[in-house]
Amino acid sequence: NAGVMQNPRHLVRRRGQEARLRCSPMKGHSHVYWYRQLPEEGLKFMVYLQKENIIDESGMPKERFSAEFPKEGPSILRIQQVVRGDSAAYFCASSGTGTSEQFFGPGTRLTVL
Amino acid sequence: DQQVKQNSPSLSVQEGRISILNCDYTNSMFDYFLWYKKYPAEGPTFLISISSIKDKNEDGRFTVFLNKSAKHLSLHIVPSQPGDSAVYFCAASAGGSNYKLTFGKGTLLTVNP
C-alpha cells in the first residue's frame, strides 16, 4: 500500500522560471493538503483540495501560486516566476473522508538560484 | 501570531528514561490535536492524536495528555529509545475532520544511549 508520493524530491530553478510540484495521495484518500516549511520553521498550511475543488486556499500567496487536483492524475502545486524566497520544502498530505489524521509525503525541496 | 507553540527547541534525555514534549495553543476553536515525528529530509510521520473530548490517549510507548483549561498538551515517550531521536511537531485543527493543520515549530529530541 503505497503512501503519499511526491515528485520531484529535489527541484532547482532559476529566478523567473516556473516550478511544478506533484503529489499523489494515498490510495483511497480524496483530500489533499499542501504545506510549506521554511528553514527553522514549522509547516505552514497553504491549500486544501478535493477532486476538482479548492476547499480552502487561505494560506496561498495571492500571486504566482496555484494548485489543482484534477479528476484524473496527481495534485499539482504550481509556482510561476519563482523568487529566492520561494526556496523551501513543500509537503503534500492526504486524508480519508471523516478522518483528521493527515499522512505526509517525503516532500519536494525547491531551491531557487 | 503563533497559535501553536512549542517553547523548547530541543530536549536531551537518556535512553530508557521518559521524554516529555510540551505544546501550548491559543485558539479556543482547536478541537483535534496531533503529534508528528520528522527525520531530516523526510516528511512528517503521524504518531498519535487526541480529540478535545478526551484528556488522554495512549498508544504503546506514546501517551498524549490534553489540558483544555490550560490550553496545553504534552507527549510522553517511555521508555525513550535512540531511534526516537527526531524533531517532534505538535499540530492542531479546528472544525472537525478534514481540515487544515496548524503546526508548532518543533522540538528536537535527542535520546542518548
Side-chain angles (χ1 to χ4, degrees):
Chain A
N1 183 20
V4 178
M5 297 169 63
Q6 290 187 249
N7 67 81
R9 293 291 307 274
H10 300 274
L11 183 61
V12 179
R13 285 287 179 267
R14 296 192 180 280
R15 281 180 297 169
Q17 292 184 320
E18 179 179 287
R20 284 189 177 229
L21 289 63
R22 294 173 184 77
C23 169
S24 296
M26 283 181 72
K27 186 176 180 180
H29 285 187
S30 57
H31 304 262
V32 167
Y33 311 79
W34 286 92
Y35 295 83
R36 175 166 67 176
Q37 184 182 25
L38 297 171
E40 310 301 325
E41 295 285 326
L43 282 73
K44 303 282 190 194
F45 168 80
M46 299 182 75
V47 62
Y48 163 31
L49 311 104
Q50 294 180 28
K51 285 285 187 182
E52 299 185 283
N53 284 306
I54 297 175
I55 307 302
D56 181 347
E57 57 181 348
S58 58
M60 288 278 271
K62 298 296 181 213
E63 297 178 349
R64 302 187 297 106
F65 284 72
S66 62
E68 63 176 4
F69 188 16
K71 187 176 180 181
E72 301 290 339
S75 175
I76 306 285
L77 179 67
R78 182 183 178 203
I79 311 172
Q80 295 179 290
Q81 299 176 320
V82 297
V83 301
R84 289 216 173 103
D86 296 333
S87 294
Y90 291 82
F91 293 98
C92 169
S94 71
S95 67
T97 299
T99 64
S100 291
E101 288 82 13
Q102 296 179 19
F103 296 88
F104 283 80
T108 294
R109 277 143 192 88
L110 172 66
T111 301
V112 180
L113 301 177
Chain B
D1 176 32
Q2 207 176 343
Q3 298 185 62
V4 176
K5 299 179 183 178
Q6 294 177 254
N7 292 319
S8 297
S10 62
L11 174 68
S12 183
V13 300
Q14 285 299 120
E15 181 178 4
R17 308 292 284 267
I18 185 171
S19 296
I20 300 176
L21 297 105
N22 294 303
C23 178
D24 298 293
Y25 61 96
T26 58
N27 189 340
S28 301
M29 299 302 293
F30 287 146
D31 60 3
Y32 202 82
F33 305 89
L34 308 90
W35 284 94
Y36 286 84
K37 171 181 175 180
K38 186 179 181 303
Y39 294 115
E42 294 185 12
T45 301
F46 170 73
L47 275 177
I48 192 168
S49 61
I50 188 167
S51 164
S52 59
I53 63 173
K54 294 186 173 182
D55 54 20
K56 177 183 174 181
N57 189 25
E58 192 172 352
D59 183 1
R61 295 187 298 116
F62 302 92
T63 302
V64 56
F65 296 92
L66 174 63
N67 182 333
K68 283 177 292 187
S69 61
K71 293 190 175 68
H72 177 84
L73 62 154
S74 60
L75 175 68
H76 292 209
I77 307 172
V78 56
S80 302
Q81 300 173 355
D84 295 330
S85 298
V87 177
Y88 288 77
F89 289 100
C90 170
S93 71
S97 60
N98 295 124
Y99 207 64
K100 63 185 179 185
L101 297 178
T102 300
F103 282 83
K105 290 190 175 184
T107 297
L108 173 62
L109 173 66
T110 302
V111 180
N112 301 302

